[in-house]
Amino acid sequence: MALLPILTAPDPRLKKKAKPVEKVDDGVRKLMADMLETMYAAPGVGLAAPQVGVSLRAIVLDVAREGEPPAPMKLVNPEIVWASDDDASYEEGCLSVPEHYAEVVRPRAVKVRYRDESGAAREIAAEGLLATCLQHEIDHLDGILFLDHLSALKRNMILRKLLKEKKAAERGDEKDAKDEHGDSPLHTL
Ligand code: K1U
Ligand code: ZN
């Protein structure tokens, strides 16, 4: 297995719609194994293939709580086939938007159809963090970041900070990569 580099916003590859997986073969299984390893190392509770620069519709998740046994999930070509009428708000993070968090409102519960790593068709019903995480990861497959669910003002504020940090990091200027007042990136919202 291998750790994969995670793309961070703004990066045009995160805004592209990913292609369906034609066949669940060894290459796809290896990709998802590497994605899980990368997600655990980050650490995170989900990861979508476009976040590691692969434009394919594959996601991995593990929303097991601390102290519970790991519950890794690998989903190929996931699609939401039902969403509840009522919404829930959750403070989301994203490995591609490091150190920024914001409340996002989404349907409280969803049903998702997908293929497992043997290629078999499956369906899962989810609520709580799993429902939030599934919607967040499926958004990644359509080039949508949690920032796109925020107001343009909040989104642009975070994107400007990320761009500035990226440019400072490229200059090797780690200290100033945070912000001009020397503060850490914020729990912005
Ligand atoms: O898609 C991603 O970038 C992963 C993201 C998933 C997610 C988190 C919260 C709500 C919706 C979707 C993350 O995993 S961010 C990191 C995170 O949530 C976390 C990190 C360490 C321990 C527990 C959670
Ligand atoms: Zn994300």
Side-chain angles (χ1 to χ4, degrees):
M1 289 206 287
L3 286 181
L4 306 170
I6 298 176
L7 304 179
T8 56
D11 185 308
R13 288 169 288 180
L14 292 169
K15 303 304 295 172
K16 272 182 62 184
K17 196 173 166 74
K19 293 186 197 72
V21 171
E22 299 286 339
K23 184 166 181 280
V24 186
D25 58 14
D26 284 348
V28 172
R29 283 186 279 272
K30 160 107 172 71
L31 168 67
M32 292 194 294
D34 289 346
M35 285 167 58
L36 260 185
E37 191 184 4
T38 304
M39 181 197 83
Y40 286 127
V45 293
L47 192 66
Q51 291 179 277
V52 294
V54 178
S55 185
L56 283 177
R57 302 186 79 82
I59 63 174
V60 297
L61 303 95
D62 188 341
V63 296
R65 292 167 204 275
E66 230 179 283
E68 288 179 357
M73 298 175 63
K74 300 170 181 176
L75 287 76
V76 174
N77 295 339
E79 48 177 322
I80 295 169
V81 292
W82 175 84
S84 62
D85 289 334
D86 55 329
D87 290 334
S89 175
Y90 197 93
E91 189 183 52
E92 297 193 16
C94 180
L95 299 174
S96 296
V97 186
E99 300 184 64
H100 293 275
Y101 304 84
E103 288 289 330
V104 177
V105 177
R106 301 180 184 271
R108 182 191 53 80
V110 289
K111 282 185 184 158
V112 172
R113 191 172 295 153
Y114 65 100
R115 297 211 172 257
D116 68 14
E117 63 177 332
S118 72
R122 293 191 177 276
E123 204 168 290
I124 185 175
E127 52 184 28
L129 176 58
L130 181 57
T132 296
C133 201
L134 280 165
Q135 292 174 78
H136 177 115
E137 301 311 330
I138 292 170
D139 265 0
H140 273 302
L141 304 182
D142 292 321
I144 297 167
L145 298 175
F146 82 88
L147 301 178
D148 297 312
H149 292 276
L150 309 180
S151 69
L153 186 75
K154 290 175 184 173
R155 178 170 59 251
N156 290 332
M157 196 169 81
I158 295 175
L159 283 171
R160 269 199 304 274
K161 279 187 185 163
L162 289 168
L163 189 59
K164 199 168 164 191
E165 287 162 19
K166 247 186 193 181
K167 284 185 175 162
E170 276 165 21
R171 289 197 306 269
D173 200 1
E174 288 296 339
K175 182 175 162 291
D176 294 336
K178 303 288 181 180
D179 73 25
E180 68 245 34
H181 308 296
D183 295 337
S184 300
L186 309 169
H187 255 107
T188 320
L189 305 162

